[in-house]
Amino acid sequence: MDRNVFKIDKLPTVRRLPAYLHILRQLARCDEKFVSSAFLAEKLNIEPILVRKDFELTRVAGTPRVGYSISGLIASIEEFLGWGEDLDAILVGVGQLGASILGYRELMDFRLRILAGFDSDPEKVGTAVHGVPVFAVTRLEELLGRLRARLAILTVPSADAQNITDLLVSSGIRGIWNYTSENIVVPADVITQKEDLASGLAVLCVKMSRNMPSPL
Amino acid sequence: MDRNVFKIDKLPTVRRLPAYLHILRQLARCDEKFVSSAFLAEKLNIEPILVRKDFELTRVAGTPRVGYSISGLIASIEEFLGWGEDLDAILVGVGQLGASILGYRELMDFRLRILAGFDSDPEKVGTAVHGVPVFAVTRLEELLGRLRARLAILTVPSADAQNITDLLVSSGIRGIWNYTSENIVVPADVITQKEDLASGLAVLCVKMSRNMPSPL
DNA sequence: TAGATTGTTAATCGATTAACAATC
DNA sequence: TAGATTGTTAATCGATTAACAATC
């Protein structure tokens, strides 16, 4: 089963870490110093013990009766996720979705730095979207040699997904954040993460139908 | 623990169903009639037995040696998700993200029908984005009385998330698909589904750091 | 028939929850 | 001190995987 070399454990925990980080930063902005697992659990609708278990993974220690140091937690989580330093990326496909990602302030909170956008539309080439310069997709290989980004955000039309993926891989990209609806194929040493909006909608629909006998 | 009344089981299965659906429709378009669990498993990088277990939930039956009927599977999955009929929704916050959702063809495949957009920007009010009319957010309550949509897509700035949520809830919305980075608070009988881009990025980052000793 | 694929039943694995001792 | 909160250890729960019988 080596097709999934990158199966990491504690995946549910990793998925929750950014949510903690978001709340912790809000608290830090309000000059709070300590927070309890119960407080965070309440916010995220989970159990306090789960919060403590999650923090165990990041090796942060709390103080009985006081809680966890907010700044300590932020540092530990960032450290664990590798979000302490800028994460350089490029984005391919500057359509409406691509543009909205370029303008998504939250991602900058996580020190994701999108160095360049690429698009095949000559109208877009040469412009800047949310301050990010857009280049022709034909220059991908050339520019990736210079930019040293290892991560690519894929927001092209589904039909182009695999072609562009192949190009990204041969240009040295090691991770692809896939926003298309295609299941792209990559060599074993390249990592992909598929962002699937439909799965969230499915969960919502099933919950709603469980909730109401007649869904309309 | 009644705050999570809508904890459904088989959640991982539900999350995978749209991915099956997507592949099945591609196959149907190619006039394929049957598919094996092994084929689908290969596509999604999971185990064949997991595919069969998932299908068990939708009560679809396969035929030994032949596989599953593609049209039968599509029907069963749609039936299970309640995607056999149009799912009426509204969208609040016609910014770049909101607009990209309005233009997202894939969602129409799932029969999600966005009846109206709402925005506070007078420039946008009265226009149509991807064919969807945009109304003033002040008319939310009034129009929701008429539209009979039960689902709202929330793409407003984080700062407005809770206010708009309260308005949606008091206007009769039963489910909120939350694209903001806020953890919105709703009454126990309203369902929310938070779409968290950061958690996908976290998984990707952790996988990449596991992969490469030095991440750059 | 022989062989491929489903479907069932049991085993394993991992995530969450519970209980409670430690501790500030 | 007493009480609140962490952290540890064990129990439970659910999801995935394995084994193999059923079946077309």
Side-chain angles (χ1 to χ4, degrees):
Chain A
M1 225 61 43
D2 67 345
R3 65 180 175 223
N4 237 338
V5 191
F6 304 119
K7 196 175 281 183
I8 53 172
D9 62 349
K10 305 288 152 51
L11 203 119
T13 295
V14 172
R15 285 194 164 281
R16 281 188 293 267
L17 292 179
Y20 294 130
L21 203 49
H22 182 250
I23 297 174
L24 292 167
R25 282 180 176 148
Q26 285 183 325
L27 293 172
R29 244 177 273 128
C30 301
D31 278 322
E32 296 286 333
K33 300 297 175 213
F34 293 90
V35 69
S36 70
S37 57
F39 179 89
L40 291 167
E42 163 82 31
K43 287 276 182 191
L44 296 178
N45 263 268
I46 56 178
E47 299 296 323
I49 178 63
L50 188 52
V51 176
R52 299 203 294 277
K53 281 284 173 196
D54 284 344
F55 289 171
E56 201 178 285
L57 184 69
T58 70
R59 297 182 197 290
V60 83
T63 315
R65 222 200 101 84
V66 174
Y68 296 85
S69 150
I70 290 174
S71 60
L73 272 178
I74 293 175
S76 299
I77 294 175
E78 285 180 344
E79 157 81 17
F80 186 87
L81 295 175
W83 289 357
E85 57 194 47
D86 281 340
L87 183 62
D88 290 347
I90 60 149
L91 181 142
V92 192
V94 191
Q96 220 148 18
L97 176 61
S100 75
I101 291 175
L102 291 177
Y104 192 39
R105 306 283 324 158
E106 291 292 325
L107 291 178
M108 260 162 270
D109 283 354
F110 302 129
R111 315 243 341 230
L112 180 73
R113 201 167 54 150
I114 306 178
L115 303 174
F118 292 87
D119 205 286
S120 56
D121 181 354
E123 292 281 307
K124 287 174 188 155
V125 173
T127 66
V129 175
H130 294 289
V132 178
V134 180
F135 300 99
V137 81
T138 48
R139 297 185 61 199
L140 201 48
E141 201 151 14
E142 171 210 341
L143 286 167
L144 268 179
R146 288 202 246 148
L147 288 172
R148 315 254 89 216
R150 290 282 164 276
L151 175 66
I153 304 170
L154 191 66
T155 48
V156 299
S158 296
D160 302 330
Q162 189 61 55
N163 282 343
I164 298 290
T165 295
D166 295 344
L167 188 55
L168 288 169
V169 168
S170 71
S171 304
I173 284 290
R174 311 312 315 261
I176 298 176
W177 200 8
N178 178 15
Y179 279 83
T180 78
S181 55
E182 288 308 299
N183 297 95
I184 55 177
V185 179
V186 293
D189 61 338
V190 173
I191 291 155
T192 64
Q193 171 68 26
K194 190 164 188 294
E195 223 48 64
D196 184 3
L197 302 189
S199 83
L201 182 61
V203 173
L204 186 59
C205 289
V206 170
K207 282 184 186 170
M208 284 179 78
S209 65
R210 294 286 172 285
N211 188 16
M212 298 170 287
S214 73
L216 183 82
Chain B
M1 224 61 44
D2 66 345
R3 65 179 176 224
N4 237 338
V5 189
F6 304 119
K7 197 175 279 181
I8 52 172
D9 62 350
K10 307 286 154 53
L11 203 120
T13 295
V14 172
R15 285 195 163 283
R16 281 188 293 267
L17 292 179
Y20 295 129
L21 203 48
H22 183 250
I23 297 173
L24 292 167
R25 283 180 177 149
Q26 285 182 326
L27 293 172
R29 243 176 275 129
C30 300
D31 277 322
E32 295 286 334
K33 299 298 177 215
F34 293 91
V35 69
S36 71
S37 58
F39 179 89
L40 290 167
E42 164 81 31
K43 287 278 182 189
L44 296 179
N45 263 267
I46 56 179
E47 298 296 323
I49 178 64
L50 189 52
V51 175
R52 299 203 294 277
K53 281 286 174 192
D54 285 343
F55 289 171
E56 201 178 286
L57 184 69
T58 69
R59 300 182 194 288
V60 84
T63 316
R65 220 198 104 82
V66 174
Y68 296 85
S69 149
I70 289 174
S71 60
L73 272 178
I74 292 175
S76 299
I77 294 175
E78 285 180 343
E79 157 81 17
F80 186 87
L81 295 174
W83 289 357
E85 57 194 47
D86 281 340
L87 184 62
D88 289 348
I90 60 147
L91 181 142
V92 192
V94 190
Q96 220 147 20
L97 176 60
S100 75
I101 291 176
L102 290 178
Y104 192 42
R105 303 287 322 159
E106 291 292 326
L107 290 179
M108 259 162 271
D109 282 355
F110 302 130
R111 316 242 338 232
L112 180 73
R113 200 168 55 149
I114 305 178
L115 304 174
F118 291 88
D119 204 286
S120 56
D121 181 354
E123 292 281 306
K124 286 173 189 155
V125 174
T127 66
V129 176
H130 293 289
V132 177
V134 180
F135 301 99
V137 82
T138 49
R139 296 185 62 200
L140 201 47
E141 202 151 14
E142 169 210 343
L143 287 167
L144 269 179
R146 287 202 248 146
L147 288 172
R148 316 252 88 216
R150 288 284 163 272
L151 175 64
I153 304 171
L154 191 66
T155 49
V156 299
S158 296
D160 303 330
Q162 189 61 56
N163 282 343
I164 298 290
T165 296
D166 296 343
L167 188 56
L168 288 169
V169 168
S170 70
S171 304
I173 283 290
R174 312 312 315 259
I176 298 176
W177 200 8
N178 178 15
Y179 279 83
T180 77
S181 54
E182 289 309 298
N183 298 95
I184 56 178
V185 179
V186 293
D189 61 338
V190 174
I191 291 157
T192 64
Q193 172 68 26
K194 190 165 187 294
E195 223 48 63
D196 184 3
L197 302 188
S199 82
L201 182 61
V203 173
L204 186 59
C205 288
V206 169
K207 281 184 187 170
M208 284 179 77
S209 65
R210 294 285 173 286
N211 188 15
M212 298 170 285
S214 72
L216 185 80

